[in-house]
Amino acid sequence: MVVVNIIILIILLLLVAYCGKLKLQEKPKNDPVLSLKEVSLQVSNYDVMNIIREVADHFVDDTEAKDITFDYRCTPESMMGWIDIDAVEKGTILVLSDMVTNTPEHGKITLEAFANGTYDAVTIRINDSSGVPLRLSLGIARQLVNLHHGTIRSEFYEGQGNMVITQIPLKKDRYLKDEIVEPGQEDQKPGIVPSAFHIPTNVQLHVPTIELPEGVSDGTQSLGALVQQAYNSPDQKFLQRAIKCVNEHIDDSDYDRESFAADMGASASTLYNKLRALTGKNVTAFIRDIRIQTACKMAKENPELRVSDIAYQVGFKDPKYFATTFKKVMGVQPRDYFERLRQGG
């Protein structure tokens, strides 16, 4: 009987060891580095400097909240080139996010983007004053840059901080045929309709304004019919659906560009291009402005609500960050705005 028990115990130990080996061989499901192997490059012709500047703009509030000096510039101010927006944005965001997290208060971060002498490549140089070398973010950024046929190098200087230099090619002939998305191709995908007429960049997000299509002959249709036709245009429907998507997730602080694009049935770059054309805003600013406008509406309906209560209800985790963002959009601190409402101003 003792021998049988020993044999059973040995078999159990062997099974446990075998299962453990299988577990070690299993790929982590949420490993961002592993998942990048399945990413494909899709380059189109964009204003490269504008993309980089908008990424930097996204970090202004975060750096101000930590009293970090954040300087960035692009030379020249505008330059067209063939890039994959997702790869460039994500790589830059990862590095900047890591730097903002590790840089102490009163520290400094700089970003400089500049063209080479022949304007066929852009160099992005980012420095910080943190005392922590970059690790995971740099590894993922390196894969994204390599995917983009670019180069990236980094240095960590003890007592000074990190320096990351990325160079990305911008010429169309640097990419394979199946990596290139010609202008207009993305807009022809199901659910995305090419722009039928111009919508002003100062469009109010809660009630979109419209302009009648150009070239409409006077007298051929009633004004009411023309207005209805314009209101029901593909662009207006797209914009209304976008606003509805954000409003349905207004209290979800994790609702980001990727989630938004998935809900719209579009790629992140297609959504960016469409919103940019219709509103003059990037995706992050579009979501942000709807959150702030919803906060204003809530304050008007109930001025006695606390700033922190409203902040959480419109998707901000940190009331201090909400206050900074509110002032940036509205030009006034939320507590002053709410006080004016209480006084009937």
Side-chain angles (χ1 to χ4, degrees), residues 181-248:
V181 179
E182 296 288 352
Q185 284 183 351
E186 284 190 321
D187 283 345
Q188 293 171 11
K189 292 181 180 181
I192 307 299
V193 184
S195 177
F197 59 92
H198 171 68
I199 296 180
T201 56
N202 64 345
V203 59
Q204 293 295 314
L205 296 179
H206 58 295
V207 182
T209 58
I210 59 173
E211 289 183 0
L212 298 180
E214 295 180 2
V216 176
S217 301
D218 293 335
T220 57
Q221 289 179 286
S222 69
L223 180 59
L226 289 173
V227 170
Q228 188 63 35
Q229 173 188 329
Y231 186 76
N232 290 328
S233 73
D235 284 343
Q236 287 290 344
K237 289 180 179 179
F238 180 91
L239 192 55
Q240 290 163 4
R241 187 156 60 92
I243 295 169
K244 182 180 179 182
C245 278
V246 177
N247 282 327
E248 288 176 347

Side-chain angles (χ1 to χ4, degrees), residues 14-308:
L14 288 173
L15 285 172
V16 170
Y18 181 70
C19 290
K21 184 179 179 181
L22 290 178
K23 186 68 175 178
L24 288 173
Q25 292 176 343
E26 182 180 299
K27 287 185 179 181
K29 293 182 180 179
N30 297 318
D31 189 331
V33 179
L34 293 175
S35 66
L36 286 177
K37 295 178 181 178
E38 302 174 1
V39 176
S40 61
L41 196 68
Q42 289 191 317
V43 299
S44 290
N45 199 21
Y46 297 104
D47 187 332
V48 180
M49 296 306 186
N50 189 54
I51 300 297
I52 296 170
R53 191 161 41 246
E54 288 188 339
V55 170
D57 284 341
H58 182 69
F59 287 89
V60 170
D61 291 340
D62 293 331
T63 52
E64 286 181 352
K66 289 187 66 175
D67 198 18
I68 295 172
T69 300
F70 180 36
D71 296 325
Y72 59 95
R73 63 177 178 174
C74 297
T75 308
E77 287 287 318
S78 176
M79 182 176 70
M80 299 299 291
W82 290 82
I83 62 168
D84 184 312
I85 283 186
D86 283 346
V88 173
E89 283 189 343
K90 286 176 181 176
T92 309
I93 286 171
L94 281 166
V95 172
L96 280 174
S97 295
D98 215 352
M99 288 183 170
V100 172
T101 298
N102 294 324
T103 299
E105 291 186 356
H106 316 303
K108 184 174 183 178
I109 298 174
T110 61
L111 181 153
E112 183 182 9
F114 53 91
N116 63 350
T118 53
Y119 291 88
D120 60 0
V122 61
T123 298
I124 307 171
R125 182 167 57 211
I126 312 176
N127 296 76
D128 71 10
S129 61
S130 75
V132 182
L134 302 177
R135 286 190 173 88
L136 179 60
S137 66
L138 189 60
I140 302 174
R142 191 181 305 281
Q143 291 198 50
L144 287 166
V145 173
N146 290 340
L147 177 73
H148 215 300
H149 310 306
T151 61
I152 183 171
R153 67 183 182 89
S154 65
E155 298 286 347
F156 176 71
Y157 302 96
E158 195 69 42
Q160 297 183 43
N162 295 280
M163 178 181 69
V164 179
I165 299 178
T166 302
Q167 187 174 70
I168 298 172
L170 300 177
K171 291 297 183 182
K172 184 178 179 180
D173 58 15
R174 290 294 303 274
Y175 301 101
L176 302 175
K177 185 176 180 180
D178 59 359
E179 294 176 335
I180 297 171
V181 179
E182 296 288 352
Q185 284 183 351
E186 284 190 321
D187 283 345
Q188 293 171 11
K189 292 181 180 181
I192 307 299
V193 184
S195 177
F197 59 92
H198 171 68
I199 296 180
T201 56
N202 64 345
V203 59
Q204 293 295 314
L205 296 179
H206 58 295
V207 182
T209 58
I210 59 173
E211 289 183 0
L212 298 180
E214 295 180 2
V216 176
S217 301
D218 293 335
T220 57
Q221 289 179 286
S222 69
L223 180 59
L226 289 173
V227 170
Q228 188 63 35
Q229 173 188 329
Y231 186 76
N232 290 328
S233 73
D235 284 343
Q236 287 290 344
K237 289 180 179 179
F238 180 91
L239 192 55
Q240 290 163 4
R241 187 156 60 92
I243 295 169
K244 182 180 179 182
C245 278
V246 177
N247 282 327
E248 288 176 347
H249 299 86
I250 199 68
D251 60 346
D252 182 359
S253 59
D254 294 324
Y255 192 70
D256 56 11
R257 187 179 68 174
E258 282 70 26
S259 303
F260 188 11
D263 287 346
M264 292 294 291
S267 68
S269 56
T270 298
L271 180 63
Y272 169 90
N273 290 336
K274 195 71 175 177
L275 288 180
R276 187 75 180 173
L278 296 180
T279 69
K281 302 176 187 294
N282 63 17
V283 179
T284 301
F286 184 85
I287 296 174
R288 176 203 66 193
D289 287 1
I290 291 179
R291 292 190 191 279
I292 296 302
Q293 290 191 15
T294 301
C296 292
K297 180 181 178 182
M298 292 174 64
K300 290 176 182 177
E301 293 174 348
N302 189 353
E304 299 306 318
L305 282 174
R306 296 182 303 176
V307 172
S308 58

